[in-house]
Amino acid sequence: MALNTQMTDLAVNAQANALAALLNGGKIKVYNGTQPATADTALSGNTLGVTLTLDATAFAAAVSGVLTANAITSATAVADITPTWARICKSDDTPVFDVSAGASGCNLTIGAFTTGTTVGISSFTHDVRNSTAGL
């Protein structure tokens, strides 16, 4: 029989809200280069382009497992990069998860920017899935 997990909204909202709590006052660090294999993997030759700050209450309460970020503070770019990924961190810089980044078709849609440019993110959502299929 195939793997076929089906979770209730109650369960995925609890998971999502626990994740959200980790990110209160956290950071979105935008990099270029190859995204590490996991969020636990150290950086390797990546250039940090900008660090944006999540609100003290980073996300509104989850709805059907979807987290929607509250205000994200814009920041000044510290390097010229074409973003390829971002690391989402706790306020103390501890990594929580990584996402792809780029001009289109990525978790974080963001184009190239140059040093001194103000960079902002107008919205950010993360979906904790209700169901997963096995391999």
Side-chain angles (χ1 to χ4, degrees):
M1 173 163 242
L3 300 174
N4 185 25
T5 302
Q6 300 292 322
M7 297 181 70
T8 65
D9 280 350
L10 173 71
V12 296
N13 286 342
Q15 289 178 350
N17 289 331
L19 176 65
L22 289 174
L23 296 171
N24 289 340
K27 301 170 187 173
I28 300 173
K29 296 182 170 197
V30 182
Y31 294 93
N32 71 353
T34 303
Q35 181 175 339
T38 74
D40 289 316
T41 304
L43 302 179
S44 178
N46 304 103
T47 299
L48 174 65
V50 68
T51 301
L52 302 116
T53 304
L54 295 164
D55 197 61
T57 302
F59 294 89
V63 176
S64 297
V66 177
L67 291 171
T68 301
N70 290 319
I72 300 169
T73 304
S74 298
T76 303
V78 296
D80 300 355
I81 70 165
T82 298
T84 54
W85 69 283
R87 181 157 279 174
I88 317 304
C89 301
K90 293 173 52 173
S91 61
D92 67 0
D93 293 319
T94 302
V96 176
F97 65 95
D98 293 346
V99 298
S100 63
S104 65
C106 298
N107 298 112
L108 175 62
T109 302
I110 187 169
F113 51 80
T114 58
T115 304
T117 303
T118 299
V119 178
I121 296 175
S122 60
S123 66
F124 177 56
T125 60
H126 178 70
D127 188 357
V128 176
R129 301 291 173 159
N130 287 73
S131 61
T132 57
L135 299 175

